[in-house]
């Protein structure tokens, strides 16, 4: 992963795929920001990473997708909140987090097979094991979807882990300090009206 | 809340404080995007809402804060992932989510009492009940922190809730469809080395 922005993100910065890919694979949403009329615009959207690119998709009629498919510069960000960092002073209260920031330009995917593959990667990200179970993607669904890829060449991660960092003179204060981890849990599946009598398939169990 | 961007975010869009404020109060991180050299830059950062503004803070030396304190246009986004939407086709796989997008310019807070209040709001957001328990904020901590406020006049929320929306012709397929809710849980507090023998205060219990 090219280290193109070392100074700006030097603190807690990482440029390796081993750090960046798991963050991208755990997060469901990213923000995609771009410039129009010299002003910033940001759209939160779902995405999937495959190899060294991330993919977003939208309706071919979407204003947002039509802007991005021109290949204008974007900044994509992903953030995961991992823990509340409870210090002995408000000044040192913090959060543990993992974030990725990517500078890239969109590449419009024209190959229908690759567009179809994006549906597969995204479906498998949302629920692993889904792809072979669901009704197959239709040609017209591929046609009416714009798929954009963004290279991860200019990606960097910032990660904070561990305990609070309190001031030396605060360390003996009888004030509790530590962390409260945040965990995102998947709740038991809730069937819609159409599926009340359909057996839950193995990939959706547990 | 002023409806200044009705067409762009018409689908699933909300402009009322009753929808927007709870999203901002639940999320710990936002992304702040701005333009430099006609390119987009995005920084994930913690924030707190108080009344009709959100507040971010950073070191007075931070390049990012020094850019934003000039009052340049920013786009701030917040996203909460609520559920996996498991449809009968990959095309209709989706996520339930709540997101807020805000267009604003930073207002640098100079009043030390207001800057101190920001620490209080943020600390109380991270762990309610903390403020009266922690070591009080010092004058020099306030001095070395830049606090920026952003009005919520141009804020809009997008919300997807509920079950998958499958194609009419798919509704009789024997394929399970429904949702899997995502819940972020706070784990039991973990004390750091300094706090092994300090009683966990009531506001951190449960």
């Amino acid at each position: 992963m090219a280290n193109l922005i070392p100074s700006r993100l030097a603190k807690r910065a990482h440029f390796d795929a081993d750090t960046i890919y798991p963050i991208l694979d755990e997060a469901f949403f990213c923000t995609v920001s771009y410039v129009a009329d010299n002003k910033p615009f940001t759209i939160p959207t779902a995405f999937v990473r495959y190899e060294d690119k991330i993919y977003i998709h939208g309706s071919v009629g979407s204003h947002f997708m039509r802007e991005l498919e021109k290949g204008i510069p974007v900044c994509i960000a992903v953030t995961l909140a991992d823990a509340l960092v409870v210090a002995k002073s408000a000044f040192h209260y913090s959060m543990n987090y993992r974030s990725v920031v990517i500078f890239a330009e969109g590449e419009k995917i024209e190959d229908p097979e690759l567009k179809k593959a994006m549906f597969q990667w995204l479906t498998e990200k949302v629920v692993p094991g889904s792809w072979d179970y669901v009704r197959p993607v239709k040609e017209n669904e591929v046609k009416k979807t714009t798929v954009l890829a963004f290279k991860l060449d200019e990606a960097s991660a910032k990660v904070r882990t561990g305990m609070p960092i309190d001031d030396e003179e605060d360390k003996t204060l009888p004030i509790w300090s530590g962390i409260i981890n945040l965990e995102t849990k998947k709740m038991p599946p809730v069937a819609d009206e159409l599926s009340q009598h359909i057996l839950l398939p193995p990939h959706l169990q547990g």
Side-chain angles (χ1 to χ4, degrees), chain A:
Chain A
M1 193 104 356
N3 178 338
L4 295 173
I5 41 170
S7 65
R8 197 179 45 243
L9 290 175
K11 197 183 171 194
R12 297 174 181 154
H14 303 263
F15 301 92
D16 58 297
D18 286 351
T19 304
I20 291 169
Y21 288 7
I23 300 171
L24 298 176
D25 296 348
E26 187 175 331
F28 289 110
F29 286 94
C30 65
T31 54
V32 180
S33 299
Y34 64 102
V35 180
D37 294 331
N38 211 34
K39 284 183 186 160
F41 290 83
T42 300
I43 311 277
T45 188
F47 75 101
V48 62
R49 179 192 68 85
Y50 185 77
E51 294 180 347
D52 59 350
K53 293 178 182 173
I54 68 168
Y55 295 80
I56 68 170
H57 72 289
S59 161
V60 292
S62 147
H63 172 75
F64 170 59
M65 297 302 282
R66 291 167 77 104
E67 282 299 303
L68 296 196
E69 73 183 40
K70 296 174 186 167
I72 59 175
V74 301
C75 186
I76 298 172
V78 166
T79 315
L80 296 169
D82 289 332
L84 313 178
V85 177
V86 179
K88 296 185 192 296
S89 67
F91 187 72
H92 289 293
Y93 260 56
S94 186
M95 298 276 305
N96 284 342
Y97 65 91
R98 289 165 290 154
S99 66
V100 172
V101 172
I102 303 157
F103 296 98
E105 298 91 38
E107 169 200 353
K108 188 177 179 181
I109 303 299
E110 304 283 2
D111 176 5
E113 287 309 307
L114 187 50
K115 290 172 75 173
K116 198 173 155 185
M118 186 284 305
F119 279 111
Q120 181 174 356
W121 303 327
L122 187 58
T123 308
E124 287 287 315
K125 180 183 182 180
V126 175
V127 182
S130 288
W131 184 251
D132 291 333
Y133 175 76
V134 293
R135 186 266 288 158
V137 168
K138 294 174 180 173
E139 201 180 324
N140 79 314
E141 291 176 333
V142 171
K143 270 189 189 157
K144 65 187 178 190
T145 303
T146 297
V147 177
L148 299 176
F150 300 88
K151 284 189 186 164
L152 297 173
D153 292 347
E154 286 183 62
S156 62
K158 271 181 86 179
V159 178
R160 191 204 190 281
T161 58
M163 290 293 172
I165 300 169
D166 272 301
D167 290 341
E168 269 314 306
E169 64 262 36
D170 291 342
K171 288 190 175 173
T172 53
L173 294 175
I175 296 173
W176 191 94
S177 51
I179 58 172
I180 297 171
N181 286 308
L182 301 173
E183 281 189 17
T184 301
K185 306 220 172 191
K186 292 179 187 174
M187 299 292 106
V190 180
D192 64 16
E193 277 192 17
L194 305 166
S195 302
Q196 297 294 326
H197 303 290
I198 298 174
L199 207 66
L200 197 67
H203 68 275
L204 283 166
Q205 289 168 17

